[in-house]
Amino acid sequence: MKLKNYLKVFAFLVAAFPAAMSAQTTSKLFIEDFTINAGETKDVEIIMENPDIDVWQAQLDVQLPEGLSVVKEDGDLIIDLLRNSKRNKHTLEANETEGVVRILVTTTGEATIQGTEGAFISISLKAASDFTSGTIKLEKMKLVPLEGSSVVPEDSECKVNDTAGIEGITAEKNKSGNIYDLQGRKVTDSQLSRGVYIMNGRKYVVK
């Protein structure tokens, strides 16, 4: 998206989201924890749980950990709107700056997004060859109804290749079980490289 057009949309949304009219809410936007191999590309979904309002427009920032990036095609970020109004009146614009992706869902009409629960936005992510684990943060989120006050969902986090409390796997630790990659393929000690593996029903990371 051209910077000039992006700034116009941003200015419009700033006007639509006055701080005095925003409020905390039970609405949520989040990404479920997931796993991804180094070098792999995966589509992940931003999920909406929104019992409070019918969404007219929306804004959120997606902060990616080092080693994860949004896939691009012809210079455009591969981010898609999965839930639209009946006649597809809404558009999605995205801009990335220093690992933070700002997503704007806008419309010039009065239609609202269909439904208030389920997958809302899809993001195509690419893991670098040396990626092991990290946290995706969803911040600065606002949902705007056609009438009434906008709501501000709480920030949320998504764990990628979560290894909390799990030690790195070594050949010595493998004497009691087989090792599998995240695609379910059995691997040997000599095949181990950086990434996430499964042994005895637990996740391990080779760094």
Side-chain angles (χ1 to χ4, degrees):
M1 180 181 185
K2 293 182 178 179
L3 179 59
K4 183 177 180 180
N5 292 335
Y6 177 80
L7 291 175
K8 287 181 179 179
V9 173
F10 178 69
F12 171 78
L13 284 175
V14 168
F17 297 149
M21 296 295 289
S22 300
Q24 292 296 329
T25 174
T26 57
S27 298
K28 297 178 182 178
L29 292 175
F30 62 93
I31 299 173
E32 294 182 335
D33 295 351
F34 66 94
T35 57
I36 186 172
N37 282 329
E40 183 183 5
T41 297
K42 176 171 286 191
D43 292 337
V44 300
E45 296 176 343
I46 296 176
I47 298 171
M48 176 170 60
E49 290 184 0
N50 178 41
D52 295 337
I53 63 171
D54 291 322
V55 177
W56 176 53
Q57 303 197 53
Q59 169 188 306
L60 67 150
D61 284 359
V62 181
Q63 182 175 332
L64 299 173
E66 185 175 355
L68 271 188
S69 60
V70 180
V71 177
K72 293 182 179 180
E73 185 175 282
D74 297 328
D76 294 327
L77 301 173
I78 306 302
I79 303 176
D80 297 312
L81 183 62
L82 299 178
R83 188 177 295 275
N84 209 319
S85 49
K86 287 184 177 180
R87 296 185 179 180
N88 296 323
K89 296 286 187 179
H90 288 75
T91 59
L92 183 149
E93 304 290 349
N95 184 277
E96 183 177 20
T97 304
E98 297 181 353
V100 177
V101 178
R102 171 151 291 185
I103 299 174
L104 308 173
V105 178
T106 64
T107 180
T108 56
E110 296 185 351
T112 56
I113 295 292
Q114 283 189 288
T116 59
E117 307 286 333
F120 183 35
I121 294 168
S122 174
I123 304 179
S124 184
L125 296 177
K126 172 78 173 182
S129 59
D130 59 350
F131 179 76
T132 54
S133 62
T135 300
I136 298 174
K137 298 180 180 180
L138 301 187
E139 303 172 322
K140 299 180 180 178
M141 297 181 283
K142 291 187 179 180
L143 302 175
V144 181
L146 184 60
E147 297 180 356
S149 301
S150 59
V151 296
V152 182
E154 292 185 0
D155 295 350
S156 62
E157 294 187 351
C158 163
K159 301 295 184 182
V160 185
N161 297 344
D162 185 15
T163 58
I166 300 178
E167 299 177 355
I169 190 171
T170 64
E172 287 74 24
K173 292 186 179 71
N174 182 42
K175 293 179 180 178
S176 62
N178 295 322
I179 305 173
Y180 300 87
D181 64 17
L182 295 181
Q183 282 69 50
R185 298 171 299 202
K186 185 176 179 181
V187 296
T188 63
D189 295 352
S190 62
Q191 294 174 314
L192 290 176
S193 58
R194 287 186 175 186
V196 182
Y197 298 89
I198 306 295
M199 185 179 75
N200 295 328
R202 300 179 64 195
K203 282 190 275 188
Y204 295 83
V205 168
V206 174
K207 298 184 178 181

Short mmCIF file of all heavy atoms in Angstrom, two decimals, residues 87-138:
data_model
loop_
_atom_site.label_atom_id
_atom_site.label_comp_id
_atom_site.label_asym_id
_atom_site.label_seq_id
_atom_site.Cartn_x
_atom_site.Cartn_y
_atom_site.Cartn_z
N ARG A 87 -21.74 -8.20 1.57
CA ARG A 87 -21.36 -7.89 0.20
C ARG A 87 -19.88 -7.52 0.09
O ARG A 87 -19.46 -6.81 -0.81
CB ARG A 87 -22.24 -6.76 -0.34
CG ARG A 87 -23.72 -7.16 -0.44
CD ARG A 87 -24.55 -6.07 -1.09
NE ARG A 87 -25.96 -6.49 -1.20
CZ ARG A 87 -26.91 -5.74 -1.73
NH1 ARG A 87 -26.62 -4.52 -2.19
NH2 ARG A 87 -28.16 -6.17 -1.79
N ASN A 88 -19.09 -8.05 1.02
CA ASN A 88 -17.64 -7.84 1.00
C ASN A 88 -17.27 -6.36 0.89
O ASN A 88 -16.45 -5.95 0.07
CB ASN A 88 -17.00 -8.63 -0.15
CG ASN A 88 -17.17 -10.12 0.01
OD1 ASN A 88 -17.11 -10.65 1.12
ND2 ASN A 88 -17.40 -10.81 -1.08
N LYS A 89 -17.88 -5.58 1.75
CA LYS A 89 -17.66 -4.13 1.74
C LYS A 89 -16.37 -3.71 2.43
O LYS A 89 -15.89 -2.60 2.25
CB LYS A 89 -18.83 -3.42 2.42
CG LYS A 89 -20.17 -3.57 1.71
CD LYS A 89 -20.23 -2.74 0.45
CE LYS A 89 -21.63 -2.75 -0.15
NZ LYS A 89 -21.71 -1.91 -1.37
N HIS A 90 -15.80 -4.61 3.24
CA HIS A 90 -14.62 -4.25 4.01
C HIS A 90 -13.32 -4.56 3.27
O HIS A 90 -13.26 -5.48 2.46
CB HIS A 90 -14.62 -4.98 5.35
CG HIS A 90 -15.64 -4.47 6.32
ND1 HIS A 90 -16.97 -4.76 6.19
CD2 HIS A 90 -15.51 -3.68 7.41
CE1 HIS A 90 -17.63 -4.17 7.19
NE2 HIS A 90 -16.77 -3.51 7.93
N THR A 91 -12.33 -3.79 3.56
CA THR A 91 -10.99 -4.02 3.02
C THR A 91 -9.99 -4.09 4.16
O THR A 91 -10.21 -3.52 5.24
CB THR A 91 -10.56 -2.92 2.05
OG1 THR A 91 -10.57 -1.66 2.73
CG2 THR A 91 -11.48 -2.85 0.84
N LEU A 92 -8.89 -4.81 3.93
CA LEU A 92 -7.83 -4.93 4.93
C LEU A 92 -6.57 -4.29 4.39
O LEU A 92 -6.14 -4.57 3.26
CB LEU A 92 -7.59 -6.39 5.27
CG LEU A 92 -6.56 -6.68 6.37
CD1 LEU A 92 -6.94 -7.95 7.14
CD2 LEU A 92 -5.15 -6.85 5.80
N GLU A 93 -5.97 -3.43 5.17
CA GLU A 93 -4.70 -2.80 4.82
C GLU A 93 -3.68 -3.14 5.90
O GLU A 93 -4.02 -3.18 7.09
CB GLU A 93 -4.84 -1.27 4.71
CG GLU A 93 -5.91 -0.82 3.74
CD GLU A 93 -5.55 -1.06 2.29
OE1 GLU A 93 -4.38 -1.41 2.02
OE2 GLU A 93 -6.44 -0.92 1.43
N ALA A 94 -2.43 -3.40 5.51
CA ALA A 94 -1.40 -3.76 6.47
C ALA A 94 -0.09 -3.08 6.11
O ALA A 94 0.25 -2.95 4.93
CB ALA A 94 -1.21 -5.28 6.52
N ASN A 95 0.64 -2.65 7.13
CA ASN A 95 1.92 -2.01 6.95
C ASN A 95 2.86 -2.50 8.03
O ASN A 95 2.48 -2.60 9.19
CB ASN A 95 1.76 -0.48 7.01
CG ASN A 95 3.05 0.25 6.73
OD1 ASN A 95 3.87 0.43 7.62
ND2 ASN A 95 3.22 0.68 5.49
N GLU A 96 4.11 -2.84 7.67
CA GLU A 96 5.07 -3.39 8.61
C GLU A 96 6.22 -2.43 8.84
O GLU A 96 6.81 -1.91 7.89
CB GLU A 96 5.61 -4.73 8.10
CG GLU A 96 6.57 -5.41 9.06
CD GLU A 96 7.03 -6.77 8.55
OE1 GLU A 96 6.93 -7.01 7.33
OE2 GLU A 96 7.49 -7.58 9.37
N THR A 97 6.54 -2.21 10.12
CA THR A 97 7.66 -1.36 10.50
C THR A 97 8.41 -1.99 11.66
O THR A 97 7.84 -2.15 12.75
CB THR A 97 7.19 0.05 10.90
OG1 THR A 97 6.42 0.62 9.85
CG2 THR A 97 8.38 0.95 11.19
N GLU A 98 9.66 -2.38 11.43
CA GLU A 98 10.54 -2.92 12.47
C GLU A 98 9.88 -4.05 13.26
O GLU A 98 9.86 -4.04 14.49
CB GLU A 98 10.98 -1.79 13.41
CG GLU A 98 11.81 -0.72 12.70
CD GLU A 98 12.27 0.37 13.64
OE1 GLU A 98 11.84 0.37 14.81
OE2 GLU A 98 13.08 1.22 13.21
N GLY A 99 9.34 -5.00 12.55
CA GLY A 99 8.78 -6.18 13.20
C GLY A 99 7.38 -6.02 13.74
O GLY A 99 6.81 -6.96 14.31
N VAL A 100 6.78 -4.84 13.59
CA VAL A 100 5.40 -4.61 14.05
C VAL A 100 4.52 -4.41 12.82
O VAL A 100 4.78 -3.55 11.99
CB VAL A 100 5.29 -3.38 14.97
CG1 VAL A 100 3.84 -3.14 15.36
CG2 VAL A 100 6.15 -3.58 16.22
N VAL A 101 3.47 -5.21 12.72
CA VAL A 101 2.55 -5.13 11.60
C VAL A 101 1.26 -4.47 12.08
O VAL A 101 0.60 -4.97 13.00
CB VAL A 101 2.23 -6.52 11.02
CG1 VAL A 101 1.23 -6.42 9.87
CG2 VAL A 101 3.51 -7.21 10.57
N ARG A 102 0.91 -3.33 11.50
CA ARG A 102 -0.36 -2.68 11.83
C ARG A 102 -1.41 -3.10 10.81
O ARG A 102 -1.19 -2.96 9.60
CB ARG A 102 -0.23 -1.16 11.85
CG ARG A 102 -1.58 -0.46 11.97
CD ARG A 102 -1.48 0.87 12.64
NE ARG A 102 -1.15 0.71 14.07
CZ ARG A 102 -1.10 1.74 14.92
NH1 ARG A 102 -1.34 2.97 14.50
NH2 ARG A 102 -0.80 1.53 16.19
N ILE A 103 -2.52 -3.62 11.30
CA ILE A 103 -3.61 -4.08 10.45
C ILE A 103 -4.82 -3.18 10.65
O ILE A 103 -5.23 -2.92 11.79
CB ILE A 103 -3.98 -5.54 10.78
CG1 ILE A 103 -2.77 -6.46 10.52
CG2 ILE A 103 -5.18 -5.99 9.96
CD1 ILE A 103 -3.00 -7.90 10.95
N LEU A 104 -5.38 -2.70 9.55
CA LEU A 104 -6.57 -1.86 9.58
C LEU A 104 -7.66 -2.53 8.74
O LEU A 104 -7.43 -2.87 7.59
CB LEU A 104 -6.27 -0.48 9.01
CG LEU A 104 -5.07 0.28 9.60
CD1 LEU A 104 -4.82 1.55 8.81
CD2 LEU A 104 -5.31 0.60 11.06
N VAL A 105 -8.82 -2.72 9.33
CA VAL A 105 -9.99 -3.23 8.61
C VAL A 105 -10.97 -2.07 8.50
O VAL A 105 -11.47 -1.56 9.51
CB VAL A 105 -10.63 -4.41 9.36
CG1 VAL A 105 -11.87 -4.89 8.61
CG2 VAL A 105 -9.62 -5.55 9.51
N THR A 106 -11.20 -1.62 7.27
CA THR A 106 -11.99 -0.41 7.07
C THR A 106 -13.10 -0.62 6.04
O THR A 106 -13.09 -1.60 5.28
CB THR A 106 -11.10 0.76 6.59
OG1 THR A 106 -10.56 0.43 5.30
CG2 THR A 106 -9.96 1.00 7.55
N THR A 107 -14.04 0.32 6.01
CA THR A 107 -15.10 0.33 5.01
C THR A 107 -15.62 1.74 4.86
O THR A 107 -15.56 2.54 5.81
CB THR A 107 -16.26 -0.61 5.39
OG1 THR A 107 -17.25 -0.56 4.35
CG2 THR A 107 -16.89 -0.22 6.70
N THR A 108 -16.11 2.06 3.68
CA THR A 108 -16.73 3.36 3.46
C THR A 108 -18.25 3.26 3.58
O THR A 108 -18.95 4.27 3.53
CB THR A 108 -16.38 3.92 2.07
OG1 THR A 108 -16.77 2.96 1.07
CG2 THR A 108 -14.88 4.17 1.96
N GLY A 109 -18.74 2.03 3.75
CA GLY A 109 -20.18 1.82 3.89
C GLY A 109 -20.59 1.69 5.34
O GLY A 109 -19.83 1.97 6.26
N GLU A 110 -21.82 1.22 5.54
CA GLU A 110 -22.36 1.07 6.89
C GLU A 110 -22.52 -0.39 7.30
O GLU A 110 -23.04 -0.68 8.38
CB GLU A 110 -23.70 1.80 7.00
CG GLU A 110 -23.60 3.31 6.80
CD GLU A 110 -24.91 4.02 7.03
OE1 GLU A 110 -25.94 3.32 7.18
OE2 GLU A 110 -24.91 5.26 7.07
N ALA A 111 -22.07 -1.31 6.47
CA ALA A 111 -22.19 -2.74 6.79
C ALA A 111 -21.23 -3.12 7.91
O ALA A 111 -20.14 -2.55 8.03
CB ALA A 111 -21.92 -3.58 5.55
N THR A 112 -21.63 -4.09 8.72
CA THR A 112 -20.75 -4.60 9.77
C THR A 112 -20.28 -6.00 9.40
O THR A 112 -20.87 -6.69 8.58
CB THR A 112 -21.49 -4.64 11.13
OG1 THR A 112 -22.69 -5.43 10.99
CG2 THR A 112 -21.85 -3.24 11.58
N ILE A 113 -19.18 -6.40 10.05
CA ILE A 113 -18.61 -7.73 9.83
C ILE A 113 -19.64 -8.79 10.21
O ILE A 113 -20.31 -8.68 11.25
CB ILE A 113 -17.33 -7.91 10.65
CG1 ILE A 113 -16.23 -6.94 10.17
CG2 ILE A 113 -16.85 -9.34 10.62
CD1 ILE A 113 -15.69 -7.25 8.81
N GLN A 114 -19.75 -9.83 9.39
CA GLN A 114 -20.68 -10.92 9.70
C GLN A 114 -20.14 -11.79 10.83
O GLN A 114 -19.01 -12.26 10.77
CB GLN A 114 -20.90 -11.79 8.46
CG GLN A 114 -21.83 -11.18 7.42
CD GLN A 114 -22.17 -12.18 6.34
OE1 GLN A 114 -21.34 -12.51 5.51
NE2 GLN A 114 -23.40 -12.67 6.36
N GLY A 115 -20.94 -12.00 11.84
CA GLY A 115 -20.56 -12.88 12.93
C GLY A 115 -19.63 -12.21 13.93
O GLY A 115 -18.93 -11.24 13.61
N THR A 116 -19.60 -12.73 15.14
CA THR A 116 -18.78 -12.15 16.20
C THR A 116 -17.83 -13.16 16.82
O THR A 116 -17.11 -12.84 17.75
CB THR A 116 -19.67 -11.58 17.31
OG1 THR A 116 -20.50 -12.63 17.85
CG2 THR A 116 -20.55 -10.46 16.79
N GLU A 117 -17.79 -14.39 16.30
CA GLU A 117 -16.93 -15.42 16.85
C GLU A 117 -16.20 -16.16 15.73
O GLU A 117 -16.74 -16.35 14.64
CB GLU A 117 -17.75 -16.45 17.65
CG GLU A 117 -18.65 -15.85 18.72
CD GLU A 117 -17.89 -15.38 19.94
OE1 GLU A 117 -16.80 -15.93 20.20
OE2 GLU A 117 -18.37 -14.46 20.62
N GLY A 118 -14.97 -16.55 15.99
CA GLY A 118 -14.23 -17.39 15.05
C GLY A 118 -13.09 -16.67 14.36
O GLY A 118 -12.70 -15.55 14.71
N ALA A 119 -12.52 -17.34 13.34
CA ALA A 119 -11.37 -16.82 12.62
C ALA A 119 -11.72 -15.49 11.96
O ALA A 119 -12.75 -15.37 11.30
CB ALA A 119 -10.90 -17.83 11.58
N PHE A 120 -10.86 -14.49 12.13
CA PHE A 120 -11.12 -13.13 11.66
C PHE A 120 -10.13 -12.73 10.56
O PHE A 120 -10.51 -12.23 9.51
CB PHE A 120 -11.01 -12.18 12.85
CG PHE A 120 -11.33 -10.74 12.56
CD1 PHE A 120 -12.30 -10.37 11.63
CD2 PHE A 120 -10.66 -9.72 13.23
CE1 PHE A 120 -12.58 -9.03 11.38
CE2 PHE A 120 -10.94 -8.39 12.99
CZ PHE A 120 -11.90 -8.04 12.06
N ILE A 121 -8.85 -12.99 10.80
CA ILE A 121 -7.79 -12.59 9.88
C ILE A 121 -6.77 -13.72 9.78
O ILE A 121 -6.47 -14.38 10.77
CB ILE A 121 -7.09 -11.30 10.38
CG1 ILE A 121 -8.07 -10.12 10.34
CG2 ILE A 121 -5.85 -10.99 9.56
CD1 ILE A 121 -7.56 -8.88 11.07
N SER A 122 -6.24 -13.94 8.58
CA SER A 122 -5.20 -14.95 8.35
C SER A 122 -3.89 -14.25 8.00
O SER A 122 -3.87 -13.32 7.19
CB SER A 122 -5.60 -15.89 7.22
OG SER A 122 -4.54 -16.77 6.90
N ILE A 123 -2.79 -14.71 8.63
CA ILE A 123 -1.46 -14.16 8.36
C ILE A 123 -0.55 -15.30 7.94
O ILE A 123 -0.47 -16.33 8.62
CB ILE A 123 -0.87 -13.47 9.60
CG1 ILE A 123 -1.80 -12.38 10.12
CG2 ILE A 123 0.50 -12.88 9.29
CD1 ILE A 123 -1.28 -11.68 11.36
N SER A 124 0.16 -15.12 6.83
CA SER A 124 1.12 -16.12 6.37
C SER A 124 2.49 -15.77 6.93
O SER A 124 3.05 -14.71 6.63
CB SER A 124 1.16 -16.14 4.83
OG SER A 124 2.01 -17.17 4.37
N LEU A 125 3.04 -16.66 7.78
CA LEU A 125 4.30 -16.40 8.46
C LEU A 125 5.40 -17.32 7.96
O LEU A 125 5.15 -18.47 7.60
CB LEU A 125 4.14 -16.60 9.97
CG LEU A 125 3.17 -15.64 10.69
CD1 LEU A 125 3.07 -16.01 12.16
CD2 LEU A 125 3.63 -14.20 10.53
N LYS A 126 6.62 -16.80 7.96
CA LYS A 126 7.80 -17.55 7.54
C LYS A 126 8.80 -17.55 8.69
O LYS A 126 9.13 -16.51 9.25
CB LYS A 126 8.43 -16.89 6.31
CG LYS A 126 9.78 -17.45 5.89
CD LYS A 126 9.65 -18.76 5.15
CE LYS A 126 11.00 -19.21 4.59
NZ LYS A 126 10.87 -20.47 3.81
N ALA A 127 9.29 -18.75 9.05
CA ALA A 127 10.31 -18.88 10.09
C ALA A 127 11.69 -18.90 9.45
O ALA A 127 11.92 -19.60 8.46
CB ALA A 127 10.08 -20.15 10.90
N ALA A 128 12.60 -18.11 10.00
CA ALA A 128 13.97 -18.08 9.49
C ALA A 128 14.65 -19.43 9.73
O ALA A 128 14.18 -20.26 10.51
CB ALA A 128 14.76 -16.97 10.17
N SER A 129 15.76 -19.66 9.06
CA SER A 129 16.46 -20.95 9.15
C SER A 129 17.00 -21.22 10.54
O SER A 129 17.25 -22.37 10.90
CB SER A 129 17.61 -20.99 8.13
OG SER A 129 18.53 -19.94 8.38
N ASP A 130 17.18 -20.17 11.36
CA ASP A 130 17.70 -20.36 12.71
C ASP A 130 16.64 -20.09 13.79
O ASP A 130 16.97 -19.97 14.96
CB ASP A 130 18.91 -19.46 12.94
CG ASP A 130 18.58 -17.97 12.75
OD1 ASP A 130 17.47 -17.67 12.27
OD2 ASP A 130 19.44 -17.13 13.08
N PHE A 131 15.36 -20.00 13.39
CA PHE A 131 14.31 -19.72 14.37
C PHE A 131 14.07 -20.92 15.27
O PHE A 131 14.02 -22.06 14.80
CB PHE A 131 13.00 -19.34 13.66
CG PHE A 131 11.87 -19.05 14.61
CD1 PHE A 131 11.83 -17.85 15.30
CD2 PHE A 131 10.87 -19.98 14.83
CE1 PHE A 131 10.79 -17.58 16.18
CE2 PHE A 131 9.83 -19.72 15.70
CZ PHE A 131 9.79 -18.51 16.39
N THR A 132 13.92 -20.65 16.59
CA THR A 132 13.62 -21.73 17.53
C THR A 132 12.28 -21.50 18.23
O THR A 132 11.39 -22.34 18.16
CB THR A 132 14.73 -21.87 18.58
OG1 THR A 132 14.96 -20.59 19.23
CG2 THR A 132 16.03 -22.34 17.95
N SER A 133 12.12 -20.36 18.89
CA SER A 133 10.88 -20.09 19.60
C SER A 133 10.73 -18.60 19.84
O SER A 133 11.68 -17.82 19.68
CB SER A 133 10.84 -20.84 20.94
OG SER A 133 11.89 -20.41 21.78
N GLY A 134 9.53 -18.18 20.24
CA GLY A 134 9.30 -16.77 20.51
C GLY A 134 7.84 -16.51 20.87
O GLY A 134 7.04 -17.44 21.01
N THR A 135 7.50 -15.24 21.00
CA THR A 135 6.16 -14.83 21.39
C THR A 135 5.63 -13.78 20.42
O THR A 135 6.32 -12.80 20.13
CB THR A 135 6.15 -14.25 22.81
OG1 THR A 135 6.62 -15.24 23.74
CG2 THR A 135 4.74 -13.83 23.22
N ILE A 136 4.42 -13.99 19.91
CA ILE A 136 3.74 -12.99 19.09
C ILE A 136 2.81 -12.21 20.01
O ILE A 136 2.05 -12.79 20.80
CB ILE A 136 2.91 -13.65 17.97
CG1 ILE A 136 3.84 -14.42 17.02
CG2 ILE A 136 2.12 -12.60 17.19
CD1 ILE A 136 3.09 -15.21 15.96
N LYS A 137 2.84 -10.89 19.92
CA LYS A 137 2.00 -10.05 20.75
C LYS A 137 0.99 -9.29 19.90
O LYS A 137 1.35 -8.71 18.87
CB LYS A 137 2.85 -9.06 21.55
CG LYS A 137 3.84 -9.72 22.51
CD LYS A 137 4.66 -8.69 23.27
CE LYS A 137 5.63 -9.36 24.22
NZ LYS A 137 6.45 -8.35 24.97
N LEU A 138 -0.27 -9.30 20.33
CA LEU A 138 -1.30 -8.49 19.70
C LEU A 138 -1.59 -7.32 20.63
O LEU A 138 -1.97 -7.52 21.79
CB LEU A 138 -2.57 -9.30 19.47
CG LEU A 138 -2.47 -10.55 18.60
CD1 LEU A 138 -3.84 -11.14 18.33
CD2 LEU A 138 -1.75 -10.27 17.30
#
